[in-house]
């Protein structure tokens, strides 16, 4: 598979999957939670409250590991593993771009001072469980 074909396969999974598991480091141990993601190209974005443990954890260690795509419908579903660095953004433009009505449960709107966006820039993405093939690595560092 060429690098361009690998990118297309990864983007296909991203377009079909928006809920994944995001891991950070808390007290020198892994800490994982489900998050909802948007993507642009290969960058991922997720909304959060700036007063959460994950924001504190990312301020101490900005690296993350994310799993997206496994649907659990069949043993061997394709998924991606992201390794990357997180930028905590308070960009109003980005917050407005990602805003949707589902966020009204937690925030008063894109101008809510507690609403922040985690922007994940991947260093490496692994395509896993591609039927009949070994994991494929897209190195972006």
């Amino acid at each position: 598979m060429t690098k361009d074909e690998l990118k297309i396969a990864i983007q296909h999974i991203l377009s079909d999957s928006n809920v994944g598991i995001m891991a950070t480091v808390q007290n020198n141990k892994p800490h994982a939670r489900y998050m909802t993601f948007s993507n642009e190209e290969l960058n991922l974005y997720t909304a959060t409250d700036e007063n959460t443990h994950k924001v504190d954890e990312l301020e101490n260690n900005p690296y993350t590991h994310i799993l997206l795509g496994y649907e659990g419908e069949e043993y061997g579903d394709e998924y991606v593993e992201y390794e990357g660095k997180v930028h905590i953004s308070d960009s109003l433009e980005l917050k407005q771009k990602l805003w949707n009505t589902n966020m009204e449960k937690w925030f008063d709107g894109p101008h809510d001072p507690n609403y922040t966006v985690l922007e994940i820039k991947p260093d490496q993405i692994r395509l896993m469980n591609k039927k009949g093939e070994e994991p494929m690595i897209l190195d972006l560092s």
Side-chain angles (χ1 to χ4, degrees):
M1 179 177 285
T2 69
K3 187 174 183 175
D4 287 338
E5 290 171 330
L6 181 53
K7 283 182 181 179
I8 290 168
I10 291 167
Q11 288 172 328
H12 177 73
I13 290 171
L14 296 177
S15 69
D16 289 343
S17 303
N18 66 338
V19 176
I21 299 169
M22 179 180 194
T24 56
V25 177
Q26 179 183 53
N27 299 323
N28 293 320
K29 296 179 182 177
H31 184 205
R33 78 276 290 155
Y34 283 102
M35 300 289 293
T36 302
F37 296 93
S38 300
N39 71 290
E40 186 172 290
E41 298 294 321
L42 296 174
N43 289 338
L44 297 177
Y45 303 89
T46 186
T48 192
D49 190 307
E50 72 172 21
N51 299 307
T52 60
H53 291 292
K54 77 180 104 15
V55 171
D56 293 338
E57 294 160 9
L58 290 164
E59 286 173 342
N60 291 325
N61 181 339
Y63 293 95
T64 187
H65 190 99
I66 297 169
L67 302 173
L68 277 164
Y70 187 83
E71 299 298 327
E73 294 175 13
E74 175 184 335
Y75 182 75
D77 287 354
E78 292 179 14
Y79 65 97
V80 292
E81 290 186 5
Y82 262 68
E83 290 180 13
K85 189 172 185 178
V86 179
H87 169 71
I88 301 167
S89 176
D90 62 359
S91 160
L92 182 56
E93 179 182 339
L94 186 55
K95 291 198 270 187
Q96 288 174 325
K97 183 176 181 178
L98 297 176
W99 180 259
N100 65 64
T101 56
N102 293 327
M103 295 179 190
E104 291 174 352
K105 297 174 193 173
W106 299 279
F107 306 108
D108 292 330
H111 292 77
D112 187 318
N114 293 320
Y115 169 41
T116 193
V117 175
L118 304 179
E119 179 180 7
I120 299 94
K121 294 189 182 268
D123 294 329
Q124 185 180 88
I125 306 170
R126 282 186 295 282
L127 176 61
M128 305 296 290
N129 285 355
K130 183 94 172 140
K131 290 177 179 50
E133 298 185 29
E134 292 293 316
M136 291 170 263
I137 298 172
L138 180 61
D139 192 353
L140 300 164
S141 56

